[in-house]
Amino acid sequence: MSNRPTTTRTAQEPTSKVGAAPAPTALPHIREPQRIAPAEARELTKLFLWRLDALEEGTREYPYVRDTLVEMNLPLVRYVARRFASRRDSTEDMLQVGTIGLIKAIDRFDVSRGVEFTTLAVPYIQGEIQRLFRDTTWSVHVPRRLQELRTDLARARERLEAQGVHEPSVTALAAHLERDEAEVAEGVVAANGYHSDSIDRPIEASGSPQQTGFVADLMGTEDPALALAENIQALKPHLAELDDRDRTLLELRFGAEMTQAEIGEELGMSQMHVSRLLARTCAHLREEILATS
């Protein structure tokens, strides 16, 4: 006995759309669409696509025709996914997004153009799988234009290295791609976000399995003096706007490091008055810096 899926023909009313070729009046009822041989699947796909084109969405027959088309062409999704077998992504994930591409191809296929369904389906399936890579394989999210630029840069680097250019510069890459150097430089920096590594990863000595430390040990820390230098630069224009008395108070308190009592004796003021003036001046400077930051 043959193991091929059995089909039965079911009479249907012709409901072809305006401008389309006459839709078939009967379709096979396929019990196991995924087990159909490739050659027969191609022929049945043509038949079902014509019928789907003639049906209005929401009719009783529409879901059967559309779902059968999807199931018959799932082997095409697996075929395209195998091209990306070397990627780290799950095969199941690729099949799922590839099926989305297949459904889009079915819904957008124009049977009246007379082209093979695979000419539209394969690019749609491949496009969805590549979109999966763009959205999930980058360790750091970057704009899509930079993700695509990374691919162009990788190809350009390979071609230039094949021509004997060792470690192509940004200028060489920009000239090869006929792009602006600033854009290429941005793409080179963004490409660093494609892969990430743990700072707890151990470092091994060159040519030796002996561990020499961790990646975190090579990372610098923030220098508090840098923040202080930034704050001083931010203060300068606001200090220049103060009157002579307020600047003198600040210089004696924070420059000469005098106490409020010593400042009072120096300027002939009470300690309380010095305290109020310093508090008011510092509050004013703080507000000015926050307003411009």
Side-chain angles (χ1 to χ4, degrees), residues 97-213:
V97 298
T99 302
I100 294 174
L102 172 63
I103 294 171
K104 289 181 179 179
I106 291 172
D107 290 341
R108 300 173 187 179
F109 187 72
D110 184 358
V111 292
S112 63
R113 296 183 62 183
V115 298
E116 288 291 332
F117 174 65
T118 53
T119 60
L120 179 71
V122 170
Y124 266 84
I125 296 168
Q126 185 169 307
E128 291 297 324
I129 294 176
Q130 290 175 331
R131 186 173 291 110
L132 169 69
F133 298 152
R134 288 198 301 266
D135 295 342
T136 62
T137 57
W138 282 75
S139 299
V140 178
H141 178 71
V142 299
R144 180 163 296 177
R145 65 178 180 84
L146 294 178
Q147 295 180 12
E148 294 171 350
L149 179 56
R150 173 190 171 274
T151 303
D152 294 338
L153 287 171
R155 291 172 180 166
R157 184 174 284 108
E158 289 179 359
R159 294 192 186 102
L160 290 172
E161 289 177 348
Q163 296 171 10
V165 181
H166 183 64
E167 291 294 328
S169 64
V170 170
T171 302
L173 291 169
H176 183 81
L177 293 173
E178 297 182 351
R179 290 175 179 258
D180 183 72
E181 285 191 28
E183 181 185 9
V184 171
E186 185 182 14
V188 171
V189 173
N192 294 328
Y194 189 72
H195 294 296
S196 64
D197 208 347
S198 172
I199 62 175
D200 296 322
R201 179 178 63 83
I203 302 173
E204 296 179 354
S206 178
S208 171
Q210 182 178 1
Q211 181 177 321
T212 61

